[in-house]
């Protein structure tokens, strides 16, 4: 059976040596996060902060920091849950039609939340300023809850069946919030809470919100899952936990997770928006200050033995990468069934997840036509861009399984080699302009606004990819381009001049770079050229290339080509594709640590310190 609360999990991790305890005073402001990052990077255990400065609540992090620990925590239910997902079982059917329980396996009963009258979470009350004031990066605009479980219900269809449990950013200090009265809520447009909020606005009423922190670990994981609206996260949590999730249900009140460590009770203030952020986010940059909804706090409950769990996000990989891997293991098999022809999908974590997605589809060639002309792959690509969170993808590369049945979508370097050997830049580029974009991606035209690019590659290889730079290639140094570095076979990073927009707000340097070559020039042996601020950094490893290229470019404005053309409104190029991945005005700065904090943290790793031998 699964862990019914956080305390049971901590006791078990302590027993098996997967929990390190730090009794020295640690500041929730920057220090705890710096410790977490180092322990996570080392593949270390969960971290229990017993003595948090100026706070009576202990903290714990890195609970889900390795796939081995994730699988251990849910060892009794993961295999069973995978079968449920593969079968396409909708646990909410049991709520609609209880007679199905007579036909369903015993485990299906666990998908039903259990209504109770009270629970440990209601034992005590506190204030927002008494909670751990976690700040992860120096330029963060205040303290944030980084593992919240935000519970809402559809105002037009209240009850557990119409609920949503999501993980959205919660700012609890700083900005213009009234201390202990208001907190910030940052959610993205495609999330289910947006649907509940919109419905409440239509009805002219505030949307009630409960925020749980801690409790059964299955609840934390369920809050991260990209489930369709008709499937309750509470049902998923029950199946993952191996027991019915107890929810305190009282007339006129929103349900509360009975075993949670903390619960913030409140409602979204109608018509009130306040600046939220900045916040060091999962793309590796700060998400800047923008107006977002505000929650008015009514109560803050906590259990007597409450522990504050947290995580840290930043340039991947981080702990949230483990959630992404678990989601892929559970949901990955569903995508090929949902979209005919699609064989595999990989949202690339090192690129920030949403900026880059790789996919393998299927292409049935017509014998009497050009075998390099993709047809079915385009249909599959368009379907992917309308499917769940994949719809946030900025660059989608899709290839045909028939060309290499052994190709692994998770072998990113080999995938790019496969694409670049086959792609035809004259007709395999398909742009979507003036469209929605990930809220946290600032490479677009504005908040939520940007473009997408689908790259399709099929057929036999068209070229042999170079693995070294040819000294006969002459760069236009008079334009400020220098230091060419080979990243991968067929991929060249070139250092360009700093981005300097003219009076119209554009920088023509990369356009002039592309225009300085012809399709017959030697540089075109590299089918992909990336213009960057630091070519040594970009070419140092695959992760740097992915992060720089796909988080710092917007397809519609930053993709160029040597000998490019427009024909019948289709853009293509006869020579190399060129991506401008330089930092541009308006981009937020990358997250960086405070050197003073780093020195204090690294002292804990000295001989005799609590982190000696761990980091």
């Amino acid at each position: 059976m699964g862990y019914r609360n956080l305390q049971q999990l901590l006791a078990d991790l302590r027993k098996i040596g997967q929990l390190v305890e730090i009794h020295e005073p640690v500041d929730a402001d920057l220090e705890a996060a710096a410790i977490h990052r180092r322990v996570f990077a080392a593949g270390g255990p969960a971290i229990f902060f017993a003595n948090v400065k100026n706070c009576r609540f202990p903290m714990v992090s890195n609970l889900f920091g390795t796939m081995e620990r994730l699988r251990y925590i849910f060892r009794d239910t993961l295999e069973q849950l995978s079968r449920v997902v593969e079968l396409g079982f909708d646990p909410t059917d049991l709520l609609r039609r209880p007679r199905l329980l007579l036909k369903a396996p015993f485990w299906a009963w666990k998908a039903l939340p259990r209504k109770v009258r009270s629970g440990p979470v209601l034992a005590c009350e506190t204030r927002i300023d008494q909670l751990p004031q976690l700040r992860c990066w120096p330029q963060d605009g205040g303290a944030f809850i980084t593992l919240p479980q935000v519970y809402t219900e559809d105002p037009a269809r209240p009850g557990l069946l119409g609920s949503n449990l999501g993980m959205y950013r919660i700012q609890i200090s700083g900005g213009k919030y009234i201390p202990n009265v208001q907190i910030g809520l940052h959610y993205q447009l495609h999330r289910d809470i947006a649907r509940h909020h919109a419905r409440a606005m239509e009805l002219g009423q505030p949307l009630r919100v409960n925020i749980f922190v801690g409790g059964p670990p299955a609840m934390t994981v369920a809050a991260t899952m990209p489930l369709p609206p008709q499937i309750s996260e509470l049902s998923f949590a029950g199946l993952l936990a191996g027991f019915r999730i107890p929810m305190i249900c009282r007339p006129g009140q929103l349900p509360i997770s009975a075993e949670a460590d903390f619960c913030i009770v409140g409602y979204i203030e109608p018509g009130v928006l306040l600046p939220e952020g900045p916040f060091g986010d999962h793309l590796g940059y700060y998400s800047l200050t923008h107006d977002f909804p505000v929650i008015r706090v009514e109560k803050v409950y906590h259990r007597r033995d409450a522990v504050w769990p947290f995580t840290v996000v930043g340039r991947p990989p981080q702990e949230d990468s483990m959630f992404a891997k678990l989601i892929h293991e559970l949901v990955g098999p569903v995508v090929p069934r949902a979209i005919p022809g699609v064989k595999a999908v990989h949202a690339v974590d090192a690129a920030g997840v949403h900026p880059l997605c790789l996919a393998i589809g299927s292409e049935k060639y017509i014998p009497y036509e050009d075998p390099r002309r993709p047809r079915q792959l385009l249909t599959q690509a368009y379907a992917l861009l309308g499917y769940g969170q994949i719809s946030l993808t900025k660059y989608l590369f899709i290839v045909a399984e028939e060309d290499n049945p052994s190709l692994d979508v998770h072998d990113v370097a080999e995938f790019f080699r496969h694409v670049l050997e086959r792609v035809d830049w004259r007709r395999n580029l398909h742009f979507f302009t003036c469209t929605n974009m990930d809220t946290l991606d600032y490479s677009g035209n504005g908040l939520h606004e940007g473009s997408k690019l689908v790259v399709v590659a099929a057929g036999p290889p068209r070229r042999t990819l170079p693995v070294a730079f040819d000294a006969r290639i002459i760069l236009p140094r008079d334009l400020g381009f220098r230091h060419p570095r080979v990243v991968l076979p067929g991929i060249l990073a070139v250092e360009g001049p700093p981005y300097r927009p003219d009076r119209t707000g554009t920088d023509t340097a990369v356009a002039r770079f592309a225009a300085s070559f012809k399709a017959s020039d030697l540089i075109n042996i590299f089918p992909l050229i990336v213009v960057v601020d630091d070519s040594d950094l970009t070419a140092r490893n695959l992760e740097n290339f992915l992060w720089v290229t796909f988080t710092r470019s917007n397809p519609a404005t930053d993709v160029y080509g040597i000998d490019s053309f427009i024909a019948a409104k289709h853009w293509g190029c006869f020579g190399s594709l060129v991506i401008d991945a330089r930092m541009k005005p308006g981009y937020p700065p990358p997250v960086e640590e405070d050197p003073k904090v780093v020195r204090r943290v690294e002292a804990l790793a000295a001989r005799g310190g609590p982190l000696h031998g761990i980091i």
Side-chain angles (χ1 to χ4, degrees):
M1 295 296 291
Y3 304 101
R4 296 187 176 272
N5 49 52
L6 180 56
Q7 288 65 30
Q8 288 184 359
L9 171 59
L10 296 180
D12 192 31
L13 293 180
R14 187 177 289 112
K15 182 174 65 177
I16 65 171
Q18 281 292 306
L19 182 73
V20 60
E21 299 191 32
I22 300 178
H23 292 275
E24 287 83 346
V26 173
D27 200 331
D29 186 56
L30 301 182
E31 284 188 359
I35 292 170
H36 167 98
R37 284 190 288 268
R38 282 154 180 78
V39 175
F40 169 80
I47 318 158
F48 186 82
F49 300 89
N51 187 356
V52 180
K53 291 181 181 179
N54 303 315
C55 183
R56 60 193 176 93
F57 298 109
M59 303 169 69
V60 66
S61 75
N62 206 37
L63 289 168
F64 312 103
T66 68
M67 287 305 296
E68 292 74 20
R69 191 154 58 248
L70 253 177
R71 294 190 182 101
Y72 175 81
I73 292 172
F74 303 111
R75 59 194 177 277
D76 296 328
T77 57
L78 273 182
E79 183 178 348
Q80 173 181 285
L81 185 57
S82 295
R83 291 200 300 269
V84 172
V85 173
E86 289 178 5
L87 291 171
F89 173 72
D90 182 352
T92 57
D93 281 344
L94 301 178
L95 296 173
R96 298 188 189 94
R97 295 177 289 170
R99 289 186 180 182
L100 287 178
L101 285 170
L102 300 175
K103 299 180 181 180
F106 173 73
W107 48 256
W109 172 252
K110 302 169 186 174
L112 298 177
R114 180 167 61 91
K115 295 182 179 181
V116 297
R117 291 291 298 169
S118 188
V121 69
L122 297 182
C124 309
E125 291 189 34
T126 187
R127 302 192 311 268
I128 292 293
D129 63 3
Q130 298 300 299
L131 301 175
Q133 300 296 298
L134 177 75
R135 205 162 63 102
C136 298
W137 298 99
Q139 295 184 38
D140 282 357
F144 287 81
I145 306 175
T146 57
L147 282 180
Q149 307 155 34
V150 182
Y151 181 91
T152 58
E153 294 181 353
D154 186 337
R157 193 166 58 99
L160 296 172
L161 181 59
S163 71
N164 174 68
L165 189 72
M167 191 165 287
Y168 315 117
R169 206 162 75 205
I170 305 294
Q171 184 171 349
I172 61 174
S173 72
K176 297 182 179 179
Y177 305 115
I178 302 173
N180 294 315
V181 176
Q182 295 174 319
I183 58 178
L185 169 64
H186 178 131
Y187 64 76
Q188 294 169 291
L189 295 177
H190 66 288
R191 304 295 188 179
D192 286 340
I193 190 175
R195 181 169 49 86
H196 289 178
H197 192 192
R199 189 69 59 88
M201 293 174 65
E202 291 172 2
L203 297 174
Q205 64 187 52
L207 179 67
R208 299 211 63 84
V209 179
N210 283 346
I211 302 169
F212 316 134
V213 181
M219 287 282 281
T220 298
V221 174
T224 71
M225 293 297 294
L227 300 176
Q230 70 274 15
I231 297 182
S232 166
E233 286 83 9
L234 295 182
S235 296
F236 181 92
L239 293 173
L240 182 61
F243 59 85
R244 299 175 65 194
I245 299 296
M247 298 294 292
I248 301 171
C249 297
R250 296 177 176 177
Q253 299 179 10
L254 206 60
I256 294 175
S257 176
E259 290 286 348
D261 286 72
F262 299 85
C263 177
I264 301 172
V265 175
Y267 60 90
I268 297 180
E269 296 190 35
V272 177
L273 298 173
L274 287 177
E276 185 267 357
F279 179 75
D281 224 313
H282 74 269
L283 265 67
Y285 308 90
Y286 286 96
S287 57
L288 302 179
T289 301
H290 300 283
D291 287 347
F292 276 94
V294 175
I295 296 175
R296 179 162 288 258
V297 177
E298 297 176 315
K299 295 280 188 179
V300 183
Y301 296 107
H302 69 89
R303 55 191 299 150
R304 297 185 189 281
D305 54 354
V307 178
W308 185 267
F310 73 92
T311 190
V312 178
V313 294
R315 179 183 166 182
Q318 299 291 341
E319 186 179 8
D320 55 346
S321 302
M322 301 302 108
F323 290 130
K325 290 181 180 179
L326 180 66
I327 289 170
H328 174 77
E329 288 186 4
L330 292 173
V331 181
V334 176
V335 177
R337 283 207 319 273
I339 304 177
V342 173
K343 306 299 180 182
V345 176
H346 178 205
V348 181
D349 185 61
V353 181
H354 299 314
L356 176 63
C357 184
L358 310 180
I360 297 176
S362 58
E363 186 67 66
K364 296 179 180 178
Y365 301 111
I366 301 175
Y368 54 83
E369 288 194 353
D370 184 348
R372 293 191 182 98
R373 185 176 182 182
R375 293 182 180 276
Q376 286 88 355
L377 287 180
L378 275 175
T379 302
Q380 294 152 23
Y382 299 155
L384 281 170
L385 290 179
Y387 185 82
Q389 292 198 49
I390 301 176
S391 64
L392 291 175
T393 296
K394 184 166 60 174
Y395 288 88
L396 172 61
F397 288 73
I398 185 168
V399 301
E401 181 190 38
E402 292 81 1
D403 293 332
N404 183 1
S406 64
L407 183 64
D408 181 358
V409 74
H410 291 91
D411 186 342
V412 177
E414 179 62 18
F415 191 96
F416 269 96
R417 183 198 63 77
H418 180 96
V419 168
L420 295 177
E421 284 180 339
R422 291 165 173 78
V423 70
D424 183 349
W425 298 132
R426 296 172 301 173
R427 61 186 181 192
N428 291 161
L429 298 166
H430 305 273
F431 290 86
F432 295 77
T433 61
C434 301
T435 187
N436 291 335
M437 201 170 185
D438 185 358
T439 302
L440 305 177
D441 191 330
Y442 284 86
S443 66
N445 310 324
L447 191 65
H448 312 300
E449 298 177 8
S451 61
K452 302 179 186 298
L453 174 59
V454 174
V455 178
V456 187
R462 299 171 52 87
R463 61 181 67 85
T464 299
L465 302 178
V467 296
F469 185 72
D470 192 319
R472 293 174 295 172
I473 297 174
I474 305 299
L475 297 179
R477 292 182 179 274
D478 58 316
L479 298 179
F481 293 87
R482 57 181 186 168
H483 297 158
R485 298 290 184 267
V486 176
V487 180
L488 292 170
I491 302 178
L492 184 68
V494 175
E495 203 165 290
Y499 191 96
R500 292 192 179 92
D502 58 21
R503 286 179 296 178
T504 67
T506 59
D507 179 321
T508 61
V510 176
R512 286 182 288 141
F513 170 86
S516 68
F517 298 100
K518 301 188 296 292
S520 58
D521 289 337
L522 187 58
I523 195 171
N524 293 287
I525 62 173
F526 289 95
L528 178 58
I529 301 171
V530 183
V531 178
V532 297
D533 296 306
D534 186 336
S535 56
D536 286 330
L537 171 71
T538 304
R540 188 169 300 156
N541 53 52
L542 175 63
E543 288 72 24
N544 283 0
F545 160 72
L546 295 170
W547 182 61
V548 169
T549 302
F550 297 104
T551 65
R552 299 183 183 180
S553 62
N554 174 28
T557 56
D558 294 325
V559 171
Y560 300 85
I562 293 176
D563 212 349
S564 63
F565 65 90
I566 297 177
K569 299 184 176 64
H570 175 81
W571 187 93
C573 57
F574 291 95
S576 303
L577 192 75
V578 182
I579 299 178
D580 182 0
R582 296 172 297 165
M583 290 290 286
K584 302 168 182 73
Y587 278 27
V591 293
E592 294 180 348
E593 294 183 309
D594 184 329
K596 294 179 181 178
V597 174
V598 170
R599 287 193 291 270
R600 292 199 299 269
V601 167
E602 290 180 345
L604 298 174
R607 186 174 297 278
L611 299 180
H612 180 66
I614 296 177
I615 64 174

